[in-house]
Amino acid sequence: MANTTSGTFTFGKTFAIDDIVEEAFERIGIRGVAGYQLKTARRSLNILFQEWANRGVHLWEIGDGYCTLVAGTNQYIGYRASADGTSTLLDSAGAALYGVDDVFEASYRSSAGTTSQSDSPLTKISRSTYSALSNKLAQGQPSQYWVQRFIDRVTITLYTTPSSSQAGDRVQFYYMKRIDDVGAYTNAADVPYYYIPAMCAGLAYYLSLKYAPDRTQNLKLLYEDELLRAEAADGSSNSTYITPKTYYPSV
């Protein structure tokens, strides 16, 4: 039965944190890990995920959400966790949204949930641009938004401030969520399967700084190489059109 395959595609789902830790330790020549080694590896893996966030956008963490507009309220908040506060940003199912890292695109939606709903794009502006606005409490249909990123929350500040005419309408947005913490050793990692090689290589590199500095340089090169391939795979292709430019030289 040499041609028989498993017929399953769940390796990434069943590849638990303790397996990832063992794989990383084996790459630096250590087997049979336990106790403090597990604890320090879990901490390093959490730090690795934060380092990935610093490198740019991860498409698997992009989601869509919304906030319901309230007359006279121009700021809406998404907290890091429910223990930090109650988010006024909502997910697509209408539940409070937590772990938002940034908001990329937004639009004002009137008559949401009906066949006559209509979207108008909002422009994302900087702190300086928002600061220069003369009357930040002016009311009307929002046309711009400003995002602030704090330790425990992200805020969306709208301009202009919604009036009673916009109350109950929505601002729809696309956001990037933080990568889930490692948590229990029996958890799976919050990464797609094509990032597994980069994750194992990165953790091995981090652990080598503590346990095998003689291997650090080679492991860093391997990690950067694996991560580069994973980032190249993280996306979806779209149609590309190339149009030659017509040039008429003067005669």
Side-chain angles (χ1 to χ4, degrees), residues 79-206:
Y79 285 98
R80 173 182 55 187
S82 58
D84 297 317
T86 302
S87 293
T88 54
L89 305 184
L90 308 173
D91 63 21
S92 55
L97 188 58
Y98 297 98
V100 175
D101 187 53
D102 199 1
V103 175
F104 298 127
E105 301 168 329
S107 60
Y108 168 76
R109 176 171 294 179
S110 60
S111 304
T114 71
T115 56
S116 60
Q117 70 178 23
S118 177
D119 286 4
S120 301
L122 304 182
T123 302
K124 188 175 185 179
I125 59 176
S126 66
R127 180 185 67 250
S128 297
T129 301
Y130 182 78
S131 178
L133 297 173
S134 60
N135 184 2
K136 298 175 180 61
L137 297 180
Q139 295 193 359
Q141 179 177 316
S143 60
Q144 299 173 312
Y145 71 101
W146 167 43
V147 177
Q148 286 181 283
R149 302 166 67 190
F150 298 97
I151 294 174
D152 63 344
R153 66 194 186 279
V154 167
T155 64
I156 301 176
T157 304
L158 301 176
Y159 181 81
T160 52
T161 299
S163 69
S164 57
S165 298
Q166 288 78 44
D169 287 340
R170 296 178 178 179
V171 166
Q172 300 283 150
F173 57 84
Y174 286 99
Y175 69 94
M176 186 170 72
K177 185 176 76 71
R178 299 186 186 192
I179 300 175
D180 285 3
D181 298 337
V182 170
Y185 296 111
T186 54
N187 288 341
D190 183 28
V191 299
Y193 74 95
Y194 48 86
Y195 262 84
I196 288 177
M199 177 175 57
C200 293
L203 182 56
Y205 159 57
Y206 273 39

Side-chain angles (χ1 to χ4, degrees), residues 39-58:
K39 181 178 180 180
T40 190
R42 183 171 65 175
R43 182 173 64 244
S44 291
L45 191 55
N46 274 323
I47 294 172
L48 176 68
F49 289 159
Q50 306 315 305
E51 190 253 333
W52 284 2
N54 292 337
R55 287 179 180 253
V57 175
H58 301 295

